[in-house]
Amino acid sequence: MAKGVGVLSRIKYILPRNIMRMIYMSLVQPYLTYCPTVWSGAGKVDLQKLQVLQNRAIRSIAMADFRTSTSPIYAQLNILKVSDITSLSTSIFTYKCRNSLKPPKFNTFYRLNQSVHHHNTKHAEDIRICTINSSHYKKSLQYRSTQLWNNLPPDLKSCSTIYLFRKHITEYLNRLY
């Protein structure tokens, strides 16, 4: 990934922004989108290193100073930050589990609140969070995906297809910048 960032910084004065974005998507983005559901549970220090490299690449594309805030640049270029890439991947995984688009082994990965109690509450369709309070469990895919899913707006959770869900969640994450 660092090599791709280096290439971007060397060619930033030669190529236009749209070509730079295409080079970013081919040299840097694949490292960030390869299995982020798994490595998103890594420590904050490790994820911060990836974020710093990504910020450097984004500033090169925009020809911005190293002190420039990157959030507006991400919004302009329509690129997700490392944390949002992991959120997107985890949300898609949860959507597939909830809609039986994963192998049958994952059908019991989540339990809904309505399966625990039969009261008609506004959170009945949310996923039940286990009461294990260890820091190790809080880094697990099950805990992180449950937290993320329960905080999504209801209209996102009720998308009819995976294509629409992916599109709407990407737009939602981009609007957060």
Side-chain angles (χ1 to χ4, degrees), residues 54-86:
Q54 188 187 29
N55 288 347
R56 228 181 268 164
I58 294 300
R59 286 188 185 107
S60 291
I61 294 171
M63 289 195 286
D65 185 49
F66 72 94
R67 291 172 292 196
T68 306
S69 174
T70 55
S71 290
I73 301 171
Y74 280 105
Q76 234 176 22
L77 296 173
N78 198 23
I79 294 174
L80 295 175
K81 294 181 182 180
V82 171
S83 60
D84 294 329
I85 290 171
T86 60

Side-chain angles (χ1 to χ4, degrees), residues 55-133:
N55 288 347
R56 228 181 268 164
I58 294 300
R59 286 188 185 107
S60 291
I61 294 171
M63 289 195 286
D65 185 49
F66 72 94
R67 291 172 292 196
T68 306
S69 174
T70 55
S71 290
I73 301 171
Y74 280 105
Q76 234 176 22
L77 296 173
N78 198 23
I79 294 174
L80 295 175
K81 294 181 182 180
V82 171
S83 60
D84 294 329
I85 290 171
T86 60
S87 296
L88 173 68
S89 176
T90 305
S91 298
I92 290 170
F93 175 83
T94 309
Y95 178 88
K96 287 180 176 180
C97 287
R98 290 281 320 266
N99 293 292
S100 301
L101 299 173
K102 287 278 187 191
K105 173 87 171 146
F106 291 101
N107 289 347
T108 58
F109 197 66
Y110 299 110
R111 288 179 55 197
L112 298 180
N113 282 336
Q114 67 187 6
S115 70
V116 177
H117 63 76
H118 301 290
H119 308 295
N120 190 13
T121 64
K122 73 177 189 177
H123 296 290
E125 289 295 318
D126 283 353
I127 299 172
R128 182 89 174 156
I129 298 174
C130 294
T131 56
I132 302 171
N133 286 327

Side-chain angles (χ1 to χ4, degrees), residues 19-53:
I19 303 296
M20 292 283 290
R21 185 180 185 282
M22 287 172 44
I23 292 171
Y24 167 86
M25 289 299 194
S26 63
L27 295 179
V28 178
Q29 189 78 5
Y31 288 101
L32 301 174
T33 56
Y34 180 73
C35 220
T37 307
V38 175
W39 56 257
S40 64
K44 288 183 181 182
V45 173
D46 296 324
L47 293 176
Q48 184 62 30
K49 288 177 186 177
L50 290 174
Q51 187 61 60
V52 167
L53 280 173

